[in-house]
Amino acid sequence: MTLTQILVWEGQHDFAKRLERCLNREDGSEILRYDEEAEHPSSDAPMEADIAFISTSALRRYDRNHLAWERIKGIPVIWVGSGDQSVYTTTSLSERVVLPAYFNCASLETVMRHTLRSTNHFGEEAQPGGGGTAFDKAHVDLALRKEGSFLYQAACMQQLVDNARLYGALSVSVLIRGGSGTGKEHIARMVADAHPDYRNGPFVAVNCAAIPEALFESLFFGHVKGSFTGAVRDHAGYFRDAHNGTLYLDEIGDLPFYQQVKLLRALDDGVIHPVGSSETIKTNFRLVAATNRPLNRMIQEGTFRLDFYHRIAVVELYVPTLQERGPDEKILLFNAALRQSLNLYAQEACEPPELPYWLKDWVSSYPFTGNVRELFNKAARMAAYYLGHHRFEQAECMHLLCAEALERETPETDELPDFTSKTEERNQVLQALEKNQWRRSETADALGWSRKTLWLKMKKYGLSD
């Protein structure tokens, strides 16, 4: 990102140094200070800057507001402060984006991206006739690629898809590794669809973690009528169901050791013996397996057979976590999931809303340990909230998004935090207020207090207005 001039008007909020640390200054960009302490030019000519960061408190202190606004007219503005609407809604500026006073680099980038995209303004970097900015093109104007219902954009995902197509065309067994919720079955279907012969056959998906011990052989190898109590008809089994197609063994790391032994022989020669039958049946299928378990460590511990591993893992594909796919892809997927959920839940057509900057910031920085499955869950929550309220309210939405984390962190007792001294208690209260941008309801919830208790503590320590 190349910025030539950045206008900073701090007021009571000290954020210029933090701004410098977050922005790339190697390109020679310059920060212009427009504070009370600075020497202001006597001219009332418009100032030249690519973007302005203005403290909401500056309006209360500076007695040359009219001249100031005339001089910065036309410059994209990002407000820094508490977000008090009364401070800036009286101005003529159309961009009213508020960055918290204690912002981090991730939130700064998100807000800048939103502001520059909305104003279509980026100094000399604007592309003639392009309808966007260089920053916009590099970070925002990204399109998700689609393979069936599988969405991706990151370079690591493109490499994965390319490999799935490449090795999918070969008649080799493929093992897909990746965390829970990363989309391993989508990759398995890509592998199956890439083979010139097997793609025309069935795709049989088996969850190995849910195979009842007593029914293992019957489910995989089949059985004949009358072979055991309850066998009222012949059953083909998974191997025959997948004939001339693909057998997908999900969660294969959860197979018990003895079941691995029974599968190994059938996978090696393709010959099975249905339960209760003396006949042998030849099968032909493509094997694709998947797991989120550390098979190498399981082999060392003796819980997974080495020969079975070599049979199922001629080629290995790794599905990156959502964290590895990067913040831009998280936001793109969240937008796509939100649109999908709105179309699913709404009784009539609903125009997808623009995500507020604080929601984009949360999505881009949240780890999503449940990967894409968790992201779609969070997006569905926001879709339901939006359909009910027709807006995104930050406090309520953040409570919904972080509900599980709050539940895990909530102590079993109703005891108040244990502060060893008044000084420590005051510091804890101050930190909680700053973290929640001095919103008393959220701060009280974070401390486990009532609003009245918080107000009394603030008054006691001189933290109230």
Side-chain angles (χ1 to χ4, degrees):
M1 163 172 81
T2 301
L3 288 170
T4 304
Q5 291 181 324
I6 306 164
L7 178 65
V8 174
W9 187 359
E10 282 190 320
Q12 292 179 337
H13 295 122
D14 182 14
F15 59 83
K17 291 183 179 179
R18 195 178 320 118
L19 188 67
E20 290 185 28
R21 289 196 299 268
C22 290
L23 294 174
N24 179 12
R25 303 299 308 284
E26 296 179 356
D27 54 13
S29 58
E30 177 186 8
I31 290 185
L32 306 176
R33 303 297 293 269
Y34 198 75
D35 302 306
E36 285 184 305
E37 294 76 17
E39 181 181 352
H40 298 163
S42 57
S43 170
D44 59 358
M47 294 191 68
E48 294 184 0
D50 293 293
I51 196 167
F53 289 83
I54 304 177
S55 168
T56 55
S57 65
L59 294 177
R60 303 186 185 98
R61 301 177 56 196
Y62 195 51
D63 58 1
R64 298 170 63 184
N65 289 347
H66 180 71
L67 177 59
W69 293 126
E70 287 298 320
R71 296 198 64 207
I72 66 174
K73 189 174 183 180
I75 300 176
V77 172
I78 293 176
W79 297 88
V80 181
S82 63
D84 181 6
Q85 297 285 326
S86 63
V87 173
Y88 56 88
T89 50
T90 56
T91 70
S92 59
L93 298 176
S94 59
E95 281 302 308
R96 296 168 182 169
V97 178
V98 180
L99 184 66
Y102 300 96
F103 62 84
N104 55 33
C105 295
S107 58
L108 171 66
E109 180 179 349
T110 302
V111 171
M112 288 185 65
R113 185 163 60 226
H114 166 77
T115 302
L116 295 173
R117 179 182 59 189
S118 300
T119 57
N120 192 24
H121 177 89
F122 202 68
E124 296 179 358
E125 292 239 352
Q127 302 296 320
T133 68
F135 186 81
D136 209 19
K137 297 298 183 184
H139 294 83
V140 179
D141 191 17
L142 301 171
L144 284 171
R145 301 179 180 91
K146 186 174 183 180
E147 294 287 338
S149 59
F150 187 73
L151 302 174
Y152 67 96
Q153 183 271 324
C156 62
M157 298 304 295
Q158 182 62 62
Q159 183 65 48
L160 171 64
V161 171
D162 290 343
N163 286 337
R165 292 169 176 163
L166 173 65
Y167 297 116
L170 307 177
S171 299
V172 296
S173 299
V174 176
L175 174 65
I176 303 172
R177 297 184 300 106
S180 177
T182 52
K184 297 187 291 294
E185 184 168 343
H186 290 284
I187 300 301
R189 291 184 180 274
M190 288 185 202
V191 171
D193 292 341
H195 197 278
D197 297 325
Y198 293 130
R199 66 184 175 192
N200 298 317
F203 182 91
V204 179
V206 180
N207 182 1
C208 295
I211 300 294
E213 180 178 348
L215 298 178
F216 169 78
E217 293 187 42
S218 172
L219 290 175
F220 273 98
F221 307 126
H223 64 256
V224 297
K225 180 180 177 180
S227 56
F228 56 86
T229 302
V232 296
R233 63 178 63 89
D234 290 347
H235 175 66
Y238 296 137
F239 283 120
R240 277 191 284 176
D241 287 341
H243 186 66
N244 291 331
T246 299
L247 178 62
Y248 172 57
L249 301 181
D250 193 17
E251 307 297 350
I252 199 167
D254 292 323
L255 273 178
F257 198 85
Y258 78 94
Q259 292 182 1
Q260 299 170 28
V261 177
K262 293 182 177 181
L263 288 182
L264 180 60
R265 178 68 180 272
L267 293 175
D268 276 340
D269 56 23
V271 177
I272 63 171
H273 297 265
V275 177
S277 174
S278 59
E279 296 182 2
T280 59
I281 300 175
K282 181 71 174 178
T283 60
N284 176 42
F285 56 82
R286 165 72 169 284
L287 177 66
V288 180
T291 184
N292 60 1
R293 303 285 295 276
L295 296 187
N296 290 334
R297 189 172 68 193
M298 293 175 65
I299 292 171
Q300 294 175 357
E301 295 172 349
T303 57
F304 200 86
R305 292 181 61 96
L306 180 61
D307 51 0
F308 187 59
Y309 169 79
H310 289 319
R311 180 62 186 82
I312 65 175
V314 177
V315 170
E316 289 193 40
L317 299 176
Y318 172 70
V319 185
T321 65
L322 195 54
Q323 193 74 356
E324 292 171 323
R325 294 167 70 167
D328 285 330
E329 182 142 333
K330 290 182 188 178
I331 295 174
L332 290 169
L333 287 172
F334 195 90
N335 268 314
L338 183 69
R339 288 195 300 268
Q340 177 179 319
S341 297
L342 286 173
N343 292 332
L344 179 64
Y345 300 155
Q347 297 180 353
E348 55 187 25
C350 178
E351 184 67 22
E354 172 70 20
L355 294 184
Y357 74 89
W358 51 263
L359 183 52
K360 291 181 180 179
D361 185 34
W362 182 87
V363 172
S364 65
S365 59
Y366 189 74
F368 288 107
T369 54
N371 293 295
V372 179
R373 186 180 291 118
E374 182 181 5
L375 180 142
F376 271 67
N377 173 272
K378 303 293 189 185
R381 289 188 192 181
M382 291 300 95
Y385 180 90
Y386 182 80
L387 289 173
H389 297 80
H390 305 291
R391 70 182 189 281
F392 289 119
E393 185 66 34
Q394 183 173 3
E396 295 181 15
C397 289
M398 293 305 297
H399 180 77
L400 289 173
L401 290 169
C402 302
E404 297 92 341
L406 290 173
E407 184 177 348
R408 287 194 298 268
E409 295 172 2
T410 301
E412 294 182 0
T413 64
D414 295 330
E415 297 178 359
L416 296 179
D418 180 20
F419 300 112
T420 57
S421 68
K422 292 182 178 180
T423 301
E424 183 176 348
E425 183 179 48
R426 185 186 187 279
N427 290 337
Q428 291 281 358
V429 173
L430 181 59
Q431 290 176 9
L433 286 166
E434 291 176 346
K435 183 177 180 180
N436 292 279
Q437 302 177 34
W438 292 79
R439 291 189 292 266
R440 295 185 183 179
S441 295
E442 289 88 333
T443 304
D445 290 340
L447 291 170
W449 293 342
S450 66
R451 290 191 62 185
K452 182 178 179 180
T453 300
L454 175 62
W455 182 83
L456 291 173
K457 295 290 186 181
M458 291 175 64
K459 186 176 181 180
K460 176 182 179 181
Y461 296 124
L463 299 174
S464 59
D465 297 334

